[in-house]
């Protein structure tokens, strides 16, 4: 955000040349992962020689109640590449990932879950994409092992509904497992909004995105941290933090009520029997009053959306690269 002409934008002078070897940061949010964290660490270390980059691993202990933090401290004591962030309590996966992104120093940053559902070997393909000039290489799930039918169906429906409700393009069948270039991380971390939902913010940032297809494994150990209630609350954040389409749906209701009221009015004015006139007059009054009220709510919604956008303070545009 430098020159006066573009003080409202975020500017990233960037070339597609990638630093060699460069530093890769791997961000891993952890909540009660004592059963799996050592296996995860060993697996990530096993790919380190093939990365072609220096590596730092940032573990975020998100207020675990088990021995995760002790295990992480133990791992860090013997390895200077490891950073452990201990959050003061459980703030949730999105906040934990944000803390990791803000701490990461890398030229590229990978976010990966602690439970080995996302195979670390896929990071090698993500780096290869990044080296060709892609800014976000995101994992796209070809298959998902070890998930219930309910989770598979609800996730599939949600991904598609979410993509349709977003005002910009969002990939489906994609979670948080992705590699982001430094410019993308700086953009997202530079946003003033406090509640970040990365699955919509990273696509919002723009830049060049490309999928890396992979098969998602079952959890190696431990269990999911998401109840149906948690998933619903996350879905609400996903939708309401980035889309104003829900407010626009109120306009559709207003139009529907107005149509019902107008039809009732037309029937009551043209009908021959008293009963028919009475019933359709009631429909007309109820429909038209509902339409008036819904329109009022929709107009207030439009103001709220605009105030909310200003409060979020996202820049109106981001420049990926300046030429000359
Ligand atoms: N996680 C976290 N804080 C939470 C919940 C989860 O840091 O409050 C981490 C968790 O340790 C894991 C990742 O977020 O590394 C994804 O969680 P989980 O595997 O339970 O989600 P699922 O794969 O079942 O959707
Ligand atoms: Mg998982």
């Amino acid at each position: 955000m430098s020159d006066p002409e573009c003080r409202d934008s975020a500017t990233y002078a960037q070339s597609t040349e990638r630093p060699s070897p460069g530093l890769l940061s791997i961000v891993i949010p952890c909540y009660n992962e004592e059963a799996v964290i050592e296996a995860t660490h060993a697996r990530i270390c096993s790919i380190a020689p093939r990365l072609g980059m220096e590596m730092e691993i940032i573990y975020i202990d998100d207020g675990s109640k088990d021995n995760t933090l002790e295990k992480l401290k133990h791992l860090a004591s013997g390895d200077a590449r490891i950073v452990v962030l201990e959050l003061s309590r459980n703030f949730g996966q999105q906040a934990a990932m944000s803390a990791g992104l803000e701490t990461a120093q890398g030229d590229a940053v990978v976010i990966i879950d602690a439970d080995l559902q996302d195979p670390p070997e896929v990071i090698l393909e993500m780096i290869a994409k990044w080296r060709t000039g892609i800014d976000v290489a995101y994992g796209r799930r070809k298959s998902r092992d070890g998930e219930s039918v309910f989770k598979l169906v609800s996730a599939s429906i949600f991904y598609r509904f979410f993509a349709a409700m977003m005002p910009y393009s969002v990939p489906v069948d994609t979670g948080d497992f992705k590699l982001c270039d430094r410019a993308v991380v700086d953009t997202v971390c530079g946003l003033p909004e406090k509640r970040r939902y990365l699955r919509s913010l990273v696509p919002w940032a723009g830049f060049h995105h490309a999928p890396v297809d992979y098969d998602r494994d079952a959890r190696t150990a431990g269990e999911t941290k998401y109840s149906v209630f948690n998933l619903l609350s996350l879905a609400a954040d996903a939708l309401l933090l980035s889309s104003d389409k829900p407010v626009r749906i109120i306009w559709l209701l207003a139009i529907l009520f107005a149509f019902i009221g107008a039809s009732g009015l037309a029937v009551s004015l043209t009908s021959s029997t008293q009963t028919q006139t009475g019933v359709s007059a009631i429909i007309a009054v109820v429909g038209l009053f509902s339409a008036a009220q819904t329109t009022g709510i929709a107009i207030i919604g439009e103001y709220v959306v605009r105030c909310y956008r200003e409060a979020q303070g996202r820049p109106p545009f981001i420049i990926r690269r300046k030429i000359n």
Side-chain angles (χ1 to χ4, degrees):
M1 305 205 192
S2 43
D3 1 10
E5 305 93 73
C6 16
R7 62 180 171 276
D8 288 335
S9 72
T11 303
Y12 293 94
Q14 141 145 11
S15 88
T16 47
E17 293 276 312
R18 302 302 191 195
S20 182
L23 175 68
L24 179 75
S25 304
I26 303 181
V27 168
I28 312 180
C30 307
Y31 179 54
N32 295 346
E33 299 289 10
E34 66 174 4
V36 70
I37 200 65
E38 283 150 336
T40 303
H41 185 67
R43 183 108 164 252
I44 286 178
C45 287
S46 76
I47 60 159
R50 288 186 280 152
L51 295 176
M53 300 180 78
E54 301 294 319
M55 172 182 81
E56 67 168 2
I57 311 177
I58 300 165
Y59 288 107
I60 306 95
D61 177 63
D62 184 18
S64 295
K65 294 177 180 65
D66 65 1
N67 275 324
T68 302
L69 181 61
E70 282 63 40
K71 291 196 171 187
L72 289 176
K73 282 182 182 162
H74 181 70
L75 292 173
S77 67
D79 192 337
R81 298 170 304 176
I82 301 178
V83 178
V84 177
L85 300 179
E86 178 187 348
L87 302 192
S88 60
R89 64 169 170 85
N90 178 245
F91 283 91
Q93 184 186 355
Q94 294 294 319
M97 291 187 298
S98 258
L101 286 185
E102 284 181 17
T103 305
Q105 305 275 320
D107 302 296
V109 181
V110 165
I111 304 173
I112 187 168
D113 286 357
D115 56 5
L116 288 177
Q117 282 196 279
D118 306 314
E121 294 72 21
V122 176
I123 295 173
L124 301 172
E125 286 176 63
M126 291 178 171
I127 294 175
K129 283 253 155 78
W130 175 70
R131 291 236 174 256
T132 67
I134 292 297
D135 303 305
V136 178
Y138 58 89
R140 187 167 61 187
R141 301 155 179 184
K142 277 194 289 180
S143 66
R144 300 176 66 160
D145 235 17
E147 303 281 19
S148 65
V149 175
F150 170 75
K151 177 105 185 231
L152 289 178
V153 172
S154 57
S156 171
I157 293 172
F158 176 71
Y159 283 139
R160 278 149 189 86
F161 174 68
F162 176 57
M165 292 297 279
M166 285 296 120
Y168 43 82
S169 164
V170 173
V172 296
D173 299 324
T174 299
D176 294 300
F177 182 32
K178 51 177 68 83
L179 176 148
C180 298
D181 183 69
R182 166 59 35 204
V184 178
V185 175
D186 285 346
T187 304
V188 170
C189 290
L191 295 175
E193 62 196 80
K194 305 285 182 292
R195 273 179 89 96
R196 291 187 189 138
Y197 182 72
L198 293 172
R199 288 186 199 182
S200 62
L201 274 188
V202 174
W204 172 84
F207 295 87
H208 292 181
H209 294 230
V212 175
D213 290 317
Y214 73 105
D215 294 303
R216 194 162 205 242
D217 295 329
R219 233 178 196 279
T220 299
E223 48 192 48
T224 178
K225 309 300 176 301
Y226 286 100
S227 61
V228 172
F229 177 77
N230 285 340
L231 285 173
L232 286 175
S233 136
L234 197 65
D237 261 2
L239 205 57
L240 300 178
L241 288 176
S242 286
S243 175
D244 40 28
K245 286 192 185 171
V247 171
R248 301 286 142 73
I249 290 171
I250 304 177
W251 283 113
L252 293 182
L253 281 180
I255 292 167
L256 178 71
F257 288 136
F259 177 75
I260 292 172
S263 309
L265 191 63
V267 174
S268 79
L269 291 177
T270 54
S271 57
S272 45
T273 69
Q274 260 194 346
T275 323
Q276 225 181 13
T277 310
V279 171
S280 38
I282 290 172
I283 293 176
V285 170
V286 172
L288 292 173
F289 270 92
S290 303
Q293 283 174 345
T294 321
T295 304
I297 294 171
I299 291 171
I300 294 169
E302 293 291 333
Y303 281 105
V304 171
V305 162
R306 281 160 182 78
C307 293
Y308 182 55
R309 277 199 211 126
E310 284 304 309
Q312 278 179 319
R314 293 187 199 174
F317 57 85
I318 295 157
I319 298 169
R320 177 176 183 256
R321 191 158 24 139
K322 262 187 185 166
I323 297 159
N324 289 339

